[in-house]
Amino acid sequence: MVIFFLLFLYFHRGWRAQMTLCGPKASGVVGLLFLHLCYPWDTGCVALSPSSGPLPRPLRLKRSWVWNQFFVLEEYTGNDPLYVGKLHSDVDKGDGNVKYVLSGEGATSIFIIDESTGDIHATKRLDREEQAYYTLRAQALDRETNRPVEPESEFIVKVQDINDNEPKFLDGPYTASVPEMSPLGTSVIQVVATDADDPTYGNSARVVYSILQGQPYFSVEPKTGVIRTALPNMDRETRDEYVLVIQAKDMVGQMGGLSGTTSVTIMLTDVNDNPPRFSHKFYQYTVPESLHVESVVAKIKAVDADLGPNAEMDFRIVDGDGLGTFRISTDQGTQEGVITLQKPLNFEERAIYSLRIEATNRNIDPQFLTLGPFSDTTMVKVAVEDVDEPPVFALHLSEMTVSEAAAVGTIIGTVTAHDPDSANSAIRYSIDRNTDLERYFNIDATTGTISTAKLLDREVNAIHNISIFAMESIALVTVTDVNDNAPVFAIEYETFLCESARPGQVIQTVSAVDKDEPLHGHHFFFDLTAQAVDNHNFTLRDNKDNTASILTKRGGFRRQEQSLYRLPILIVDSGSPSLSSTNTLSIRVCRCDPDGVAQSCSAEAYMLPAGLSTGALLAILACIFTLLVLVLLIVTMQRRRKEPLILEEERDVRENIVRYDDEGGGEEDTEAFDMVALRNLNVVQDPMVRRDVTPDLPSLFVSRLAYKTLPDNIIFREFIWDRLKEADVDPSAPPYDSLQTYAFEGSGSLAESLSSLDSLSTDSDQNFDYLSDWGPQFRKLADLYGNRESRNPFS
């Protein structure tokens, strides 16, 4: 006999155990049933044994296993395998000779069994919405022989539901409509949310509805999801669309339940709740008296805020003095009232007509009659404009008789006509000569008297049928136009081109004008002249609307290279014969800011090949060459101008003063004397020295010796002037300004001057020959001062 252990969990209702007696007695052993009840998260179980109470009498059944369902909680999140139940056979004595085997859906992949103890565990999380139950087969085998000790039997593991699915609106979002002005509580649409949880277990699938957005205009029934109007008389003309957000929540809407939302767009449909309205209460139109019958006089429109058939209306003339003269009908496409002429107009008989017109809705809804009359009226005044009408003869056919013997000039009769206009202009008469080719008759242009112009012969022509013209004396002569003017630029264009312009950039759009007035309007064609077509700088695009665009062919324009371009453009009109003209567009290259606004432009002109003729270019070049020759002649003559032979007297010695800031003394020490005297321009003038005469050097040398007898201030001044004169007459001196430095001690020292420049002129007996023995550093001094007797100071 086999004893089975079962485990199942009933959510929200506590734990229930259902015991099944498994089979009749076997081998004289009473079958026992042990039921283990345990929570999946507990470690201990409670065992119910026969000692808990008497067992019912076993049934006599075919030997097999009988199972109730196992229950497993879905979405188990524990770390350990979930305990499902236990299998045990009374053949199993606990000595390990019996092993338990599990097969069927999910065996070994989801459900595993301990072959020694019979414990069944679930190794994976189960989802009831994917699979609600599993069918398994269990069998107890002899471990040594691998033969079954009990027959194989099936059992079901049912997945217990939890609330893990929110309600979903499978048909959402929704779109619905309801007539405007509907009463309170009008049903609009029903929304349905489905919950994938088990509807037969708990409240996981019990859904209630609520409205999150759309109040106070609409409401929703919590249980059915039916949306109804919450306000009466909602007006489509004020607002025609509402967007609602509906929520469905499970667990009967309790806290902790899951929810889902959907949107519902509700459109208010139109009803005929608005009457037609004219924009004005008075309209006035003017028509010529020559208007033909059945012609349209005017169109008036009444505005109806409704749509479609609810805005359809009929017009009629309800009053006025033009009931028989005018008629009004409805244009079904535009819903306008069309007033047409029914009788001819005559300004002289009646100049103004008044009409009272009414517009009425065609489809009136009786339930909205309380909103007022669905019609409106307006006044229309039609003014008749006078037209210059032709004269009218008193008789359309005049029959006159004359004798064939009548002399020339005999009066036959008179015709009369009058001007029907109020001006009553004078009438002039004439004979249509196409009806009197032989000119037998004449007519007086003023009186209309007809007389014979030739002798008549009845046998040749017994009846003469002539036509008489009656015309108002006013003559209007219209001169017709011929194409005798060529098109030209509409204005004088001033085009600026930025140096940063890109290829293909539109820099100017030009148009043309023509003094002619063709019947069908002007049409101009633009193109570059033949000489300018192949230029590499610009191109032209005809826009086909009497304008043309000028585009750049390249970039990299530079003012330094060329600042002005002239582009010849050919403009042709559409006359017969067509005329054309060439217009030159000046394009100036400019420096522009980043926004493309010209900042500065040069004025150097440039002509494309078609701008100047060859003769003009040669003339310009000849002028430039002549100017260059004149400039060269002037420069040459200035250079050959004879220089003065006498030195200038007045000179500013301050230009030759050099200041030394070193610490050395002696000849370079310029701080040892007063420099104020050098700034005195009142110097003693020496005799003029000629540039073309070589100066007498000994005389200069003698004058230099005389410095010792002069005061210091005069000494320095004379010394500088002498040095300046020497530089001026020196033939080896450069022709440009040069810096001359001088070292002079003056005569104030007791040792007198130590300058080497003055050593040759002293009477000292000192011998400097010993300088040759001091080495190569003093060889130069030895050459200057040693062996003085044998040396010429001027060599």
Side-chain angles (χ1 to χ4, degrees):
M1 189 64 177
V2 181
I3 301 176
F4 305 98
F5 296 89
L6 308 177
L7 172 67
F8 64 95
L9 177 66
Y10 190 86
F11 189 74
H12 291 302
R13 298 285 181 106
W15 297 92
R16 296 191 307 179
Q18 187 173 5
M19 299 176 291
T20 303
L21 186 61
C22 302
K25 295 188 294 181
S27 304
V29 180
V30 178
L32 299 177
L33 171 64
F34 290 89
L35 176 61
H36 283 211
L37 302 177
C38 63
Y39 291 94
W41 53 87
D42 286 342
T43 56
C45 298
V46 179
L48 301 180
S49 65
S51 60
S52 300
L55 295 175
R57 182 178 179 181
L59 301 175
R60 294 289 182 177
L61 299 174
K62 181 179 180 181
R63 188 172 181 82
S64 62
W65 291 5
V66 180
W67 297 84
N68 284 329
Q69 295 178 346
F70 286 98
F71 291 89
V72 179
L73 195 65
E74 70 169 331
E75 302 295 344
Y76 172 66
T77 59
N79 295 327
D80 299 328
L82 179 63
Y83 182 74
V84 178
K86 183 179 183 67
L87 298 180
H88 188 75
S89 174
D90 55 359
V91 178
D92 188 0
K93 303 302 183 182
D95 53 4
N97 292 330
V98 177
K99 69 175 180 178
Y100 300 94
V101 179
L102 194 66
S103 62
E105 291 180 317
T108 68
S109 61
I110 299 177
F111 301 99
I112 60 174
I113 187 170
D114 190 322
E115 63 179 14
S116 299
T117 63
D119 292 331
I120 302 175
H121 290 82
T123 60
K124 295 183 179 179
R125 292 176 58 181
L126 302 180
D127 188 354
R128 189 200 68 84
E129 287 70 37
E130 293 182 1
Q131 188 166 346
Y133 62 90
Y134 297 84
T135 302
L136 299 173
R137 294 185 297 277
Q139 193 170 29
L141 303 177
D142 185 281
R143 188 178 296 276
E144 294 181 358
T145 63
N146 206 31
R147 292 184 178 181
V149 297
E150 294 286 350
E152 184 182 55
S153 183
E154 285 187 350
F155 65 95
I156 294 176
V157 177
K158 187 174 182 181
V159 182
Q160 191 73 35
D161 183 47
I162 64 172
N163 188 21
D164 61 340
N165 290 278
E166 71 277 2
K168 294 182 180 180
F169 294 90
L170 301 181
D171 297 330
Y174 296 85
T175 301
S177 61
V178 63
E180 63 173 330
M181 310 300 291
S182 295
L184 179 67
T186 301
S187 176
V188 180
I189 191 176
Q190 182 179 17
V191 296
V192 178
T194 58
D195 196 314
D197 293 326
D198 191 355
T200 63
Y201 178 72
N203 296 324
S204 299
R206 296 182 62 185
V207 176
V208 294
Y209 301 91
S210 61
I211 183 169
L212 302 181
Q213 177 182 313
Q215 298 168 326
Y217 306 102
F218 297 92
S219 63
V220 62
E221 293 183 359
K223 294 183 179 181
T224 62
V226 175
I227 299 175
R228 300 181 182 274
T229 57
L231 289 179
N233 302 327
M234 287 189 290
D235 190 7
R236 184 199 64 83
E237 288 74 29
T238 303
R239 181 178 177 183
D240 62 349
E241 180 179 294
Y242 297 84
V243 179
L244 282 61
V245 177
I246 305 298
Q247 174 183 268
K249 189 173 184 180
D250 58 17
M251 298 298 295
V252 201
Q254 297 177 0
M255 184 177 298
L258 303 178
S259 64
T261 60
T262 188
S263 63
V264 181
T265 301
I266 299 178
M267 302 291 296
L268 296 184
T269 58
D270 185 58
V271 298
N272 191 7
D273 59 337
N274 292 280
R277 289 288 181 263
F278 287 104
S279 301
H280 306 282
K281 289 299 181 182
F282 178 79
Y283 297 87
Q284 182 170 354
Y285 302 96
T286 301
V287 295
E289 63 175 333
S290 59
L291 188 68
H292 297 290
V293 175
E294 298 297 333
S295 298
V296 175
V297 175
K299 293 183 179 181
I300 60 174
K301 187 174 182 63
V303 179
D304 192 324
D306 295 324
L307 301 175
N310 297 322
E312 294 178 355
M313 61 191 73
D314 294 319
F315 295 87
R316 65 190 184 98
I317 300 175
V318 296
D319 194 7
D321 50 15
L323 289 176
T325 307
F326 302 95
R327 182 175 66 89
I328 189 169
S329 59
T330 303
D331 187 328
Q332 300 301 326
T334 62
Q335 292 298 307
E336 292 177 310
V338 181
I339 302 174
T340 55
L341 182 64
Q342 294 296 107
K343 293 181 179 180
L345 300 175
N346 192 326
F347 173 81
E348 288 72 27
E349 293 180 359
R350 192 179 191 90
I352 295 178
Y353 294 87
S354 296
L355 305 173
R356 182 180 178 84
I357 297 178
E358 180 185 64
T360 305
N361 271 139
R362 186 177 303 164
N363 306 307
I364 299 177
D365 193 338
Q367 62 177 331
F368 299 112
L369 288 176
T370 56
L371 299 179
F374 284 80
S375 63
D376 194 21
T377 59
T378 187
M379 289 297 298
V380 176
K381 180 177 287 188
V382 180
V384 181
E385 187 179 41
D386 188 20
V387 175
D388 188 11
E389 299 175 275
V392 178
F393 284 98
L395 297 175
H396 292 288
L397 178 62
S398 297
E399 185 175 351
M400 303 177 185
T401 59
V402 60
S403 171
E404 65 177 334
V408 174
T410 302
I411 297 177
I412 303 173
T414 302
V415 295
T416 58
H418 70 279
D419 183 7
D421 297 325
S422 57
N424 195 17
S425 302
I427 306 299
R428 295 183 62 85
Y429 302 92
S430 63
I431 296 175
D432 183 2
R433 292 305 175 181
N434 292 323
T435 61
D436 185 22
L437 298 176
E438 301 296 330
R439 296 182 176 268
Y440 285 107
F441 305 97
N442 288 329
I443 189 171
D444 188 286
T446 303
T447 62
T449 301
I450 302 174
S451 61
T452 59
K454 291 182 178 180
L455 295 175
L456 303 177
D457 188 352
R458 189 195 68 79
E459 287 72 26
V460 176
N461 192 355
I463 298 176
H464 295 268
N465 188 6
I466 61 175
S467 297
I468 307 298
F469 289 143
M471 295 175 290
E472 296 181 14
S473 59
I474 300 175
L476 179 63
V477 178
T478 301
V479 180
T480 60
D481 182 54
V482 296
N483 189 28
D484 58 348
N485 292 277
V488 295
F489 275 161
I491 60 174
E492 288 293 333
Y493 292 98
E494 187 176 8
T495 303
F496 297 101
L497 172 63
C498 293
E499 291 180 320
S500 59
R502 302 180 303 276
Q505 179 176 336
V506 176
I507 60 173
Q508 182 69 64
T509 300
V510 298
S511 60
V513 293
D514 194 335
K515 294 181 180 180
D516 296 322
E517 294 182 0
L519 295 177
H520 303 290
H522 291 290
H523 186 66
F524 302 119
F525 305 90
F526 298 83
D527 201 355
L528 297 178
T529 61
Q531 296 86 350
V533 168
D534 297 327
N535 80 89
H536 302 291
N537 301 313
F538 307 99
T539 184
L540 180 143
R541 180 181 65 203
D542 194 340
N543 298 325
K544 306 302 182 181
D545 58 353
N546 289 344
T547 65
S549 299
I550 311 301
L551 299 88
T552 57
K553 276 189 175 181
R554 63 176 181 90
F557 292 92
R558 294 292 180 268
R559 290 178 300 153
Q560 294 77 5
E561 299 174 359
Q562 188 168 334
S563 63
L564 183 65
Y565 295 84
R566 298 190 187 277
L567 186 66
I569 298 176
L570 181 67
I571 308 176
V572 183
D573 63 18
S574 59
S576 179
S578 61
L579 298 179
S580 64
S581 67
T582 299
N583 299 259
T584 302
L585 179 68
S586 298
I587 302 173
R588 199 173 297 277
V589 182
C590 303
R591 179 176 60 85
C592 302
D593 60 11
D595 296 330
V597 179
Q599 298 295 316
S600 62
C601 304
S602 179
E604 182 182 357
Y606 172 80
M607 287 290 291
L608 288 175
L612 288 177
S613 64
T614 303
L617 290 175
L618 292 176
I620 292 174
L621 293 176
C623 293
I624 295 174
F625 180 79
T626 304
L627 290 176
L628 290 176
V629 171
L630 291 176
V631 170
L632 291 176
L633 290 175
I634 294 173
V635 172
T636 304
M637 294 180 66
Q638 287 182 347
R639 288 186 176 181
R640 297 182 61 182
R641 185 176 60 183
K642 189 172 183 180
E643 297 181 354
L645 299 177
I646 304 300
L647 296 173
E648 295 292 334
E649 296 179 354
E650 296 183 359
R651 300 177 185 273
D652 192 353
V653 299
R654 290 177 295 180
E655 297 179 356
N656 297 321
I657 296 177
V658 180
R659 181 180 179 85
Y660 301 93
D661 291 330
D662 57 343
E663 295 183 0
E667 296 176 330
E668 297 180 355
D669 188 1
T670 60
E671 300 294 337
F673 51 84
D674 186 10
M675 300 293 293
V676 176
L678 298 178
R679 297 184 175 89
N680 186 5
L681 299 179
N682 298 322
V683 299
V684 178
Q685 297 182 355
D686 292 330
M688 295 298 176
V689 179
R690 293 175 60 89
R691 292 180 181 268
D692 56 344
V693 178
T694 303
D696 186 5
L697 293 180
S699 64
L700 293 177
F701 181 74
V702 173
S703 65
R704 186 183 304 170
L705 296 177
Y707 295 156
K708 298 179 180 180
T709 62
L710 298 176
D712 287 344
N713 58 342
I714 300 177
I715 289 174
F716 291 116
R717 183 175 61 200
E718 294 300 328
F719 174 80
I720 293 175
W721 272 111
D722 289 344
R723 295 300 182 271
L724 180 60
K725 293 176 181 177
E726 291 177 9
D728 288 340
V729 299
D730 187 2
S732 64
Y736 45 83
D737 293 340
S738 62
L739 177 65
Q740 304 290 335
T741 60
Y742 309 101
F744 180 63
E745 282 286 338
S747 60
S749 174
L750 295 177
E752 296 185 347
S753 177
L754 298 179
S755 173
S756 60
L757 299 176
D758 196 34
S759 299
L760 297 177
S761 64
T762 62
D763 297 331
S764 175
D765 295 334
Q766 184 177 359
N767 187 3
F768 296 97
D769 292 340
Y770 61 87
L771 293 175
S772 301
D773 300 332
W774 286 11
Q777 295 88 345
F778 298 93
R779 183 169 298 169
K780 186 66 176 178
L781 291 175
D783 294 339
L784 294 174
Y785 300 102
N787 195 12
R788 188 174 48 178
E789 292 78 4
S790 60
R791 215 169 7 91
N792 184 1
F794 300 103
S795 58

